[in-house]
Amino acid sequence: MITVEKLKKNSAKTPADEAKKSDKYYYASQWSLMLRKFRKHKLAMVSTYILLFFYIIVIFGNFFAPQGTEQYDGKYVNCGPTPVHLFHEGKLVGPFVYGLKSERDPETFMNTFVEDTEQIYRLRFFTQGEAGGEYKILGLIPCNLHFFEAEEGGKVFLFGTDNMGRDLFSRVILGGQISLFIPVVGMLLTLVLGLFMGSLAGYFGGWIDTVIQRMVEVVRSFPQVPLWMALSAAIPKTMKPAQIFMLMTVILSLVSWPDLSRVVRSKFISVKKEDYIMAARISGAPAHKVVIRHMIPSFTSYIIVNMTMSIPSLIIGETTLSFLGLGLRSPATSWGVLLQETNALETIMFYGWKLIPMIFVFVTVLAFNFMGDGLRDAADPYK
Amino acid sequence: MEKNVILEIKNLSKVYESKGASVKALTDVSLTVNQGETVGIVGESGCGKTTLGRCVVRGIDATSGQVLFHTEDDGVIDFLQTTKAQMKKYRKDIQMIFQDPYASLDPRMTVFDIISEPLRYNSNLSKREIEEAVGKIAEQVGLNKAYLRRYPHAFSGGQRQRIGIARSLILQPKIIVCDEAVSALDVSIQAQIINLLEDLQKEYNLTYLFISHALSVVRHISDRVLVMYLGKVVEFGETDALFANPMHPYTKALLSAAPQPDPDAVIDRVVLEGEVPNPAAPPSGCHFHPRCAYKTARCAKEAPPLVEHGDRMVACWNCGCCSEAD
């Protein structure tokens, strides 16, 4: 009986629905077809949401970070993460942190912090706190609103502090501003370079192609890290962080354009032979119209895929440079700068929380890779 | 009916150069096409049929030769060496229908954009006039007007080929090169498209260059047939005469290879020996001689010219030897 009813229900639903569905499919442009396919890639969708979340947090970083980049507290050096509690002695208090007591380990004589369960500091949200300091929303509107803060006298370090008593949670967020945006800006520069060189090579062919391909091979055969190092060693130490930021994007894109230019070139060459390109020429389309109306649209999706896939290597690049001390320097911060502190054995032994920025690098790179994977599967909906 | 020559192809050659080797895809191909007729071009794959078609529409540039187009005002222009202004004026007179209805439509454009694209480059019609023209042509080739906003992926092969036909017709050309226009379709759809092509031909007095390897289709639609082998014309004549009495040994072999629908028919099949030679290193003399059952010493030395033999043109030193043998 149930199956019969089910069938009835299904058949009652199908004809109109199906027609609507297929109609939508027939009128779907390339981009909506791509979106349909991309949505089916679960991992890519999850990654996209994770990345969106990261970027939103980072864009409004000063709001979400309880401290600014320049604040530190000498009393709380190398303090571990302070857990946020909800219950005190079985009673619901709402989110709060305990006070911190400094103790010396009798064996190692190391300073450690333990929770002082006598003191309770509630977390307050949307505070106009001076603790976090003033900042400008998107660099424009001055503001001192912060997402959360502990009550007067309390300290909340979600990810612990570093060896200068700076809140790691804030620094991860503010470092993310650099680490997540250098790759994007660098990628845009890469795109311009790669598109230009690739289309020159692919469209004209001949000796232009040969010259550009040899250049690509030369750049690609350099070991990346030493090349980055050589280039960034040329950055004067006295430069402002913003200038260093710009130069770093240039350095990264100078090393990464060859891959994109190869994709563009090969697409140009393969598309040139498509029947519909010849059809357009026979119908009298001038060369530039053929390129703009038919050739470039046919591989924009591939370029987007390639761009997404190239971001991880740029993130790693920035992290590597900063880790090696060749990129940004404190107090300016990025995930690579934060990881500089981890190059001592004691960090791994005693201050495990300082490795937290690595998790973010890891998750971001993975997410970009998965998203790129999904985009690649969706890139050509006609195959 | 008086025959008005509309297209003369003279000594058309196309050589593909690559490192160390040059491939002669077309060697001295000459033919004349009369207005309103259909010339079928047959041959096995790799013989240069498609190259010929594409050279004629200037989809690719021929190495040498002339494609003389007779304009309405009795002028003659070489389509391969036109000035820009002439090209703009006459490009629309020679259009093409492609073999692959999937590859020849830009998947990123709506059907309306695809069909109207040639108009946008060749006329100054208003948006409204373009819409009218496209609607009219769509109706004529049997496309529902409601479908014009759809994308090509919504259509089957036969419908896509109708879109391709509409695109080639919208400029009201005089000559259409049909490059294997029905080969990629089901047999039943083939029949529909062929009927459509014939109807359109009657209505607009179109001239077709019908390139195909399907002999039955060519026999049905063509007034005259050109047989090619390895980039050269081997025989050119009236369809009925040529099919009834092939005068070149290759034509005979080709025709006998065509499947017969009648199961009781006795097929006197000529089985060719060997394979099609490498076009980069064609045989000396007559390209066909290594596989020819009637070859003589002369065939290996000198290439036979295409000369008139009775009702047709044949390129064979021993012309007619194969038909006499019957």
Side-chain angles (χ1 to χ4, degrees):
Chain A
M1 261 327 270
I2 294 169
T3 47
V4 172
E5 260 173 34
K6 246 188 183 172
L7 274 177
K8 263 188 184 166
K9 211 173 159 191
N10 276 344
S11 63
K13 216 166 72 179
T14 25
D17 273 17
E18 282 288 293
K20 220 173 162 188
K21 215 171 138 193
S22 61
D23 245 27
K24 240 177 151 180
Y25 175 72
Y26 293 150
Y27 291 102
S29 72
Q30 180 196 10
W31 299 105
S32 47
L33 284 181
M34 275 178 70
L35 194 66
R36 282 161 74 104
K37 223 170 165 187
F38 183 72
R39 284 227 177 101
K40 284 188 189 142
H41 200 297
K42 291 243 169 57
L43 211 49
M45 282 308 284
V46 172
S47 301
T48 311
Y49 287 127
I50 289 176
L51 289 175
L52 268 180
F53 176 72
F54 279 5
Y55 272 90
I56 288 170
I57 295 276
V58 157
I59 287 170
F60 300 103
N62 294 93
F63 168 69
F64 288 106
Q67 287 191 358
T69 40
E70 284 164 23
Q71 288 168 319
Y72 63 95
D73 194 334
K75 272 192 284 180
Y76 299 98
V77 170
N78 293 334
C79 170
T82 55
V84 174
H85 303 269
L86 284 175
F87 297 96
H88 179 63
E89 290 171 351
K91 271 188 292 183
L92 179 70
V93 187
F96 70 93
V97 286
Y98 289 118
L100 292 169
K101 273 194 305 207
S102 163
E103 277 179 4
R104 206 161 275 281
D105 190 305
E107 274 177 49
T108 60
F109 300 108
M110 273 186 47
N111 212 11
T112 52
F113 292 90
V114 286
E115 291 185 322
D116 175 4
T117 46
E118 311 276 290
Q119 291 167 294
I120 290 177
Y121 300 101
R122 276 174 225 265
L123 291 187
R124 290 180 300 151
F125 293 91
F126 299 101
T127 53
Q128 302 264 343
E130 297 97 58
E134 284 232 340
Y135 61 91
K136 284 177 181 166
I137 300 173
L138 304 176
L140 297 172
I141 313 150
C143 177
N144 64 354
L145 191 70
H146 286 269
F147 183 52
F148 71 90
E149 208 173 46
E151 274 176 328
E152 195 69 42
K155 289 283 172 193
V156 51
F157 305 121
L158 290 181
F159 294 168
T161 64
D162 65 4
N163 57 7
M164 281 177 72
R166 294 178 292 202
D167 176 30
L168 200 57
F169 177 71
S170 304
R171 285 176 69 75
V172 165
I173 291 180
L174 297 173
Q177 289 182 330
I178 303 286
S179 291
L180 291 179
F181 280 98
I182 277 195
V184 173
V185 179
M187 183 205 62
L188 290 177
L189 275 176
T190 306
L191 175 71
V192 172
L193 266 174
L195 210 57
F196 181 70
M197 301 298 253
S199 41
L200 272 187
Y203 192 77
F204 292 106
W207 67 269
I208 298 177
D209 186 24
T210 312
V211 169
I212 291 177
Q213 288 319 299
R214 296 301 86 78
M215 270 169 72
V216 166
E217 275 151 26
V218 168
V219 175
R220 276 175 65 93
S221 51
F222 271 112
Q224 272 199 344
V225 174
L227 185 60
W228 280 333
M229 288 173 68
L231 288 170
S232 38
I235 300 178
K237 306 257 179 231
T238 49
M239 270 190 160
K240 287 186 191 127
Q243 288 171 312
I244 294 182
F245 177 96
M246 287 321 295
L247 279 176
M248 280 184 72
T249 59
V250 173
I251 289 167
L252 290 173
S253 56
L254 276 180
V255 180
S256 67
W257 66 267
D259 287 317
L260 188 72
S261 86
R262 282 209 160 160
V263 173
V264 173
R265 168 181 177 268
S266 67
K267 284 289 157 202
F268 252 104
I269 290 173
S270 74
V271 161
K272 226 169 25 175
K273 292 189 187 121
E274 290 282 347
D275 272 358
Y276 63 81
I277 299 296
M278 186 180 281
R281 286 202 289 131
I282 288 170
S283 63
H288 69 275
K289 288 266 171 143
V290 174
V291 172
I292 292 168
R293 284 184 62 99
H294 297 279
M295 293 175 91
I296 289 180
S298 76
F299 56 73
T300 20
S301 57
Y302 289 97
I303 288 173
I304 292 171
V305 171
N306 199 272
M307 276 159 54
T308 320
M309 299 290 245
S310 73
I311 285 183
S313 71
L314 293 173
I315 292 179
I316 302 265
E318 185 277 326
T319 311
T320 311
L321 283 181
S322 298
F323 176 76
L324 293 170
L326 292 164
L328 292 166
R329 277 168 283 267
S330 291
T333 185
S334 76
W335 291 345
V337 173
L338 295 179
L339 288 172
Q340 274 179 22
E341 277 196 30
T342 62
N343 61 5
L345 187 60
E346 57 171 37
T347 309
I348 297 154
M349 283 177 70
F350 305 116
Y351 314 127
W353 61 87
K354 288 187 186 171
L355 292 171
I356 288 174
M358 208 165 67
I359 297 172
F360 285 87
V361 175
F362 183 74
V363 170
T364 312
V365 168
L366 264 188
F368 266 114
N369 274 327
F370 285 134
M371 192 171 89
D373 222 31
L375 281 174
R376 188 177 49 199
D377 288 352
D380 198 341
Y382 307 110
K383 275 185 184 144
Chain B
M1 198 180 89
E2 201 196 325
K3 282 176 183 169
N4 284 325
V5 174
I6 189 163
L7 192 72
E8 269 180 277
I9 298 169
K10 280 190 181 166
N11 304 327
L12 196 68
S13 295
K14 172 72 190 174
V15 183
Y16 287 104
E17 297 278 0
S18 66
K19 277 171 209 157
S22 63
V23 175
K24 285 181 182 162
L26 292 176
T27 315
D28 284 339
V29 173
S30 300
L31 70 145
T32 53
V33 183
N34 302 322
Q35 179 154 25
E37 77 170 342
T38 300
V39 173
I41 298 171
V42 295
E44 58 201 301
S45 48
C47 73
K49 311 186 290 281
T50 298
T51 309
L52 174 62
R54 296 194 166 186
C55 284
V56 170
V57 295
R58 276 192 82 170
I60 48 180
D61 288 322
T63 312
S64 64
Q66 292 174 304
V67 175
L68 300 175
F69 176 64
H70 294 244
T71 58
E72 270 177 334
D73 43 4
D74 290 330
V76 176
I77 58 158
D78 184 354
F79 200 62
L80 301 185
Q81 278 160 23
T82 48
T83 61
K84 246 185 168 174
Q86 276 179 325
M87 194 63 190
K88 215 173 154 79
K89 195 170 168 201
Y90 296 112
R91 159 120 268 173
K92 64 177 182 8
D93 286 333
I94 307 184
Q95 288 293 310
M96 181 163 180
I97 299 170
F98 286 84
Q99 168 171 16
D100 185 346
Y102 290 87
S104 60
L105 306 178
D106 189 337
R108 288 155 197 89
M109 288 164 77
T110 61
V111 172
F112 178 83
D113 287 337
I114 290 170
I115 298 178
S116 65
E117 192 182 18
L119 271 186
R120 264 179 271 143
Y121 301 130
N122 292 290
S123 70
N124 299 318
L125 295 180
S126 69
K127 220 176 160 186
R128 182 106 184 253
E129 286 168 318
I130 288 182
E131 256 169 49
E132 261 168 36
V134 172
K136 196 180 150 218
I137 214 88
E139 213 165 287
Q140 239 162 2
V141 301
L143 281 172
N144 190 334
K145 264 198 219 172
Y147 294 169
L148 288 178
R149 297 284 162 202
R150 292 184 177 184
Y151 286 84
H153 66 253
F155 296 92
S156 66
Q159 283 174 309
R160 279 159 168 258
Q161 201 58 299
R162 287 173 196 267
I163 299 170
I165 292 171
R167 170 175 62 189
S168 65
L169 274 178
I170 194 131
L171 293 173
Q172 299 178 323
K174 307 257 166 7
I175 302 169
I176 295 185
V177 176
C178 308
D179 181 12
E180 303 266 14
V182 297
S183 308
L185 308 173
D186 281 350
V187 178
S188 59
I189 311 289
Q190 279 190 7
Q192 289 175 14
I193 298 291
I194 287 167
N195 289 340
L196 172 66
L197 288 174
E198 285 182 326
D199 292 345
L200 292 168
Q201 182 170 39
K202 266 179 225 150
E203 191 165 347
Y204 294 109
N205 195 21
L206 290 170
T207 307
Y208 289 141
L209 269 180
F210 197 89
I211 299 165
S212 181
H213 63 262
L215 292 167
S216 53
V217 173
V218 169
R219 186 175 193 170
H220 171 80
I221 201 170
S222 308
D223 300 305
R224 292 191 293 159
V225 174
L226 179 89
V227 184
M228 290 181 70
Y229 183 75
L230 225 62
K232 285 187 172 179
V233 178
V234 297
E235 191 165 354
F236 183 31
E238 301 284 332
T239 307
D240 294 335
L242 188 135
F243 273 79
N245 180 24
M247 288 170 88
H248 193 283
Y250 176 69
T251 315
K252 192 178 177 186
L254 187 72
L255 297 185
S256 79
Q260 295 287 333
D262 179 2
D264 297 327
V266 181
I267 304 169
D268 179 18
R269 190 154 283 167
V270 182
V271 180
L272 287 180
E273 283 174 21
E275 306 223 334
V276 182
N278 177 7
S284 61
C286 173
H287 285 355
F288 186 61
H289 85 265
R291 304 171 76 189
C292 184
Y294 309 92
K295 62 173 174 262
T296 58
R298 196 182 186 187
C299 298
K301 287 181 198 134
E302 293 171 65
L306 188 68
V307 287
E308 215 164 322
H309 283 273
D311 57 354
R312 75 191 81 167
M313 315 276 281
V314 185
C316 182
W317 290 123
N318 313 308
C319 178
C321 59
C322 52
S323 52
E324 276 162 26
D326 281 334

